[in-house]
Amino acid sequence: GWCLKKYLEVFDETSHRLKAVDPQLPVGGPASQQLGWVKELKEHAEKTGVALDFISTHQCATTTTQARLLLLA
């Protein structure tokens, strides 16, 4: 399974390889659910200098009421 340490290693490698091809390519993440690893990735990028051009995450409704609220937002 994935742990934060492994995710950050893969993110670093991916970010470096994408920027080597074209420095203008936007790199982002963590594409997680419920804000998972957003804070950790942001702090990691600030600490290491790895390229992080945008943050991505998504919310998943756990009830019908939450689903309706997300649709109305």
Side-chain angles (χ1 to χ4, degrees):
W2 284 85
C3 65
L4 179 60
K5 182 177 184 259
K6 181 173 180 166
Y7 172 78
L8 293 174
E9 290 171 358
V10 171
F11 182 87
D12 289 355
E13 183 69 22
T14 303
S15 179
H16 292 306
R17 286 179 182 250
L18 285 170
K19 292 297 185 177
V21 171
D22 183 348
Q24 299 301 313
L25 285 172
V27 177
S32 61
Q33 178 183 339
Q34 311 297 97
L35 301 174
W37 294 346
V38 168
K39 179 182 173 190
E40 293 86 349
L41 178 59
K42 186 173 183 283
E43 289 172 352
H44 173 75
E46 291 169 353
K47 180 180 172 185
T48 65
V50 69
L52 176 62
D53 301 311
F54 64 91
I55 299 287
S56 64
T57 189
H58 61 276
Q59 298 289 96
C60 291
T62 56
T63 67
T64 302
T65 301
Q66 286 178 336
R68 288 185 183 133
L69 290 173
L70 287 172
L71 289 173
L72 296 174

